[in-house]
Amino acid sequence: MAQDGNRKVYVKSYGCQMNVYDAQRMADVLAPEGYVETGEVGEADLVVLNTCHIREKAAEKVYSELGRVREMRREREAGGAGMQVVVAGCVAQAEGPEILRRAKGVDLVVGPQSYHRLPELLAEARRRPVVDTEFPAESKFDALPQATPERTRQRGVSAFVTVQEGCDKFCTFCVVPYTRGAEVSRPAAAILTEIARLAAAGVREVSLLGQNVNGYHGEGLDGADWSLARLIRRVAEVPGIDRIRYTTSHPRDMDGELIALHGDLPAMMPYLHLPVQSGSDAILSAMNRKHGRDEYLRIIDQVRAARPDIAVSSDFIVGFPGETDADFRDTMDLVERVGFAGAFSFKYSPRPGTPAADNAAQVPEGVKAARLAELQALLDRQLKAYNAATVGRTVDVLVEKAGRHPGQMVGKSPYLQPVAFEGGGAQIGDIVPVRVTALGTYSLLGERADIEPERATA
Ligand code: SAH
Ligand code: SF4
Ligand code: F3S
């Protein structure tokens, strides 16, 4: 094993943005133990796979990755070095000891609520394989250390902050209530302290995360229960924070106060990710989504009334048990009506322990595939049309990094579109007006709208 202070950890995250945030927190808890992050599995003393259980494919990926990691471990051991292997995240929570049975060479299986205990669990795992999937009484958030300013800077000017975790909604297809547990909201004071530290290290944009982020109801600074809207108003007052995003929202919790914020708080970005899953009332009801298609369409109307240029994105599941052609047409019709700026769409994947998995009316794979292709073609056309409509407009871009060409910088528009442009001296963390001139393959292309073209291209 390498000397203390010189150990390397490789963390790979699958799944949602909360896993990305969790991976950073794990790196932060390991840093005082002498671990520095590496992007190379082969040179890692410690490998952490931060897994996702949402669909079968996501969960199965872990086992093929564990096979590759095992090879690396053998090579390292042949060279006299060691490697500890950790499975964290939602597969760890859902499958627990089963992982040790299915995959050889795993030292520790740890669920999302125990990351603060990583150092002691790793020490214990040197003696024998350990599984920890408890939901401990103490909150990991109270025990997890914060990143140093240096690490925060390396991670960039846009940061994730978990404000709410877990879910009590129990949609009939979904594993999250089982893998992340019951809904818990962090107190506003802890969130604001974390964001102030991020801002002091150069962060200008925060994305507030939660499985049901708009169901946030944490303890406020005044001791009262705060809604997400109240929390966001206060976050906007943190010096240095210019942009605020939040994800993922549930239509049931989209209250008037939050909608109004989109119209009257400048830091609130004009982007809303609001999963609908299906456009059919029968399917929405079978999914236990607790709202109908008209309610969803009404919310979108209200949000657009507050902020006409808002970009709306969503998640869709096709081939939920019992979904007929007519149900699927309702989904296509809803998509036509709303006009999305982006979306994730999936074939229904039966998940162990969820009610819909036992439903006898499973939709054949071929039908799911055909529906998904049709839906994705429509969503893709909408995305292209949305981006094309930006050409000719000037948008504020938060500069995130250097581009591929010399002098080029890359950042995000308020609508979450990647924009590449001739930097003209713009620095990472600047927010600059960029005139969008063309559509690139992966981003919009533009030029600075605030300086002369000669200087911009010099
Ligand atoms: N909390 C969010 C979504 C969490 S999971 C919400 O309530 O909308 C992210 C997305 O994965 C879901 O929106 C859904 O579209 C998809 N998903 C979840 N379970 C799935 C399953 N069993 N099969 C296919 N897609 C699924
Ligand atoms: Fe899953 Fe539904 Fe909860 Fe979202 S609201 S995490 S889809 S159970
Ligand atoms: Fe996956 Fe867990 Fe996130 S199942 S989507 S990593 S909450």
Side-chain angles (χ1 to χ4, degrees):
M1 194 186 45
Q3 290 291 299
D4 272 19
N6 190 25
R7 294 191 283 188
K8 295 209 166 93
V9 55
Y10 170 88
V11 190
K12 182 164 182 180
S13 272
Y14 304 80
C16 63
Q17 291 159 332
M18 193 172 287
N19 262 7
V20 176
Y21 174 81
D22 286 346
Q24 294 176 349
R25 290 284 76 78
M26 283 191 264
D28 294 340
V29 86
L30 291 166
E33 304 288 306
Y35 285 101
V36 292
E37 285 182 79
T38 172
E40 298 288 328
V41 198
E43 62 171 36
D45 302 284
L46 176 61
V47 170
V48 181
L49 301 183
N50 194 21
T51 61
C52 173
H53 198 244
I54 201 83
R55 285 166 294 274
E56 190 181 355
K57 254 198 197 146
E60 287 305 311
K61 253 190 219 157
V62 180
Y63 290 98
S64 47
E65 186 69 21
L66 280 173
R68 279 192 290 275
V69 169
R70 201 176 162 211
E71 285 304 307
M72 297 284 188
R73 182 183 187 143
R74 281 211 193 99
E75 278 173 36
R76 276 179 67 85
E77 283 171 352
M83 181 189 274
Q84 273 191 301
V85 178
V86 178
V87 177
C90 290
V91 178
Q93 188 62 44
E95 296 186 4
E98 177 65 20
I99 296 170
L100 298 181
R101 277 192 286 277
R102 265 190 74 179
K104 296 278 166 287
V106 174
D107 301 281
L108 171 62
V109 175
V110 57
Q113 303 312 327
S114 300
Y115 295 155
H116 55 298
R117 301 188 51 222
L118 262 180
E120 59 179 280
L121 292 171
L122 284 171
E124 202 182 326
R126 290 196 190 287
R127 297 189 289 276
R128 53 175 183 84
V130 174
V131 177
D132 187 332
T133 52
E134 293 299 304
F135 284 95
E138 83 274 10
S139 162
K140 65 178 171 191
F141 291 111
D142 296 337
L144 284 167
Q146 297 291 321
T148 59
E150 295 71 46
R151 266 203 313 271
T152 300
R153 265 190 288 280
Q154 281 163 12
R155 288 169 185 165
V157 292
S158 178
F160 295 131
V161 175
T162 293
V163 302
Q164 177 276 334
E165 187 169 354
C167 182
D168 297 338
K169 293 225 163 37
F170 291 93
C171 301
T172 54
F173 52 81
C174 185
V175 294
V176 171
Y178 312 97
T179 63
R180 293 276 168 172
E183 262 189 65
V184 176
S185 295
R186 294 176 68 191
I191 295 165
L192 289 162
T193 305
E194 184 169 335
I195 293 175
R197 286 184 63 131
L198 293 168
V203 166
R204 299 201 67 181
E205 174 178 273
V206 284
S207 299
L208 308 181
L209 301 182
Q211 266 87 35
N212 265 292
V213 73
N214 57 342
Y216 176 86
H217 54 94
E219 185 190 340
L221 296 182
D222 54 3
D225 242 23
W226 278 16
S227 64
L228 183 66
R230 276 207 70 186
L231 177 70
I232 288 177
R233 277 198 194 284
R234 189 57 190 76
V235 171
E237 291 169 16
V238 175
I241 297 299
D242 297 305
R243 290 183 161 195
I244 302 171
R245 304 181 182 278
Y246 60 99
T247 202
T248 297
S249 296
H250 193 287
R252 282 290 300 223
D253 296 322
M254 220 43 228
D255 63 48
E257 204 191 346
L258 186 62
I259 292 173
L261 268 193
H262 277 287
D264 64 29
L265 187 72
M268 188 82 151
M269 287 295 99
Y271 190 99
L272 174 65
H273 182 64
L274 194 63
V276 64
Q277 317 298 356
S278 168
S280 150
D281 278 333
I283 296 299
L284 286 170
S285 164
M287 286 176 163
N288 192 31
R289 292 290 290 183
K290 302 194 180 83
H291 68 82
R293 61 179 271 130
D294 288 346
E295 199 178 336
Y296 186 84
L297 292 169
R298 221 170 21 247
I299 294 167
I300 299 300
D301 284 346
Q302 287 165 359
V303 171
R304 283 187 167 148
R307 182 77 203 234
D309 64 336
I310 198 162
V312 180
S313 74
S314 198
D315 293 345
F316 297 90
I317 295 176
V318 298
F320 183 83
E323 187 186 72
T324 63
D325 256 324
D327 292 320
F328 177 63
R329 290 295 130 211
D330 283 347
T331 298
M332 292 294 283
D333 177 74
L334 179 138
V335 173
E336 294 277 12
R337 274 168 202 251
V338 173
F340 289 97
F344 297 104
S345 46
F346 313 98
K347 287 188 274 189
Y348 169 71
S349 169
R351 305 305 291 130
T354 60
D358 299 329
N359 191 314
Q362 298 294 328
V363 173
E365 195 52 35
V367 175
K368 285 192 212 174
R371 287 180 186 164
L372 185 67
E374 192 180 339
L375 174 62
Q376 288 187 337
L378 173 59
L379 290 166
D380 203 47
R381 279 201 299 282
Q382 292 192 342
L383 168 68
K384 291 211 171 86
Y386 185 82
N387 285 336
T390 321
V391 176
R393 286 186 58 192
T394 295
V395 292
D396 281 338
V397 173
L398 170 59
V399 183
E400 293 179 342
K401 58 184 181 196
R404 277 188 296 155
H405 308 296
Q408 192 187 49
M409 299 303 278
V410 179
K412 297 263 168 50
S413 78
Y415 315 100
L416 215 51
Q417 299 152 302
V419 184
F421 61 101
E422 287 305 322
Q427 303 294 309
I428 291 169
D430 288 350
I431 295 176
V432 295
V434 173
R435 196 177 316 106
V436 180
T437 52
L439 297 179
T441 321
Y442 302 106
S443 60
L444 303 176
L445 306 176
E447 56 196 22
R448 291 278 292 271
D450 57 339
I451 52 179
E452 293 301 310
E454 305 82 77
R455 259 197 63 204
T457 50

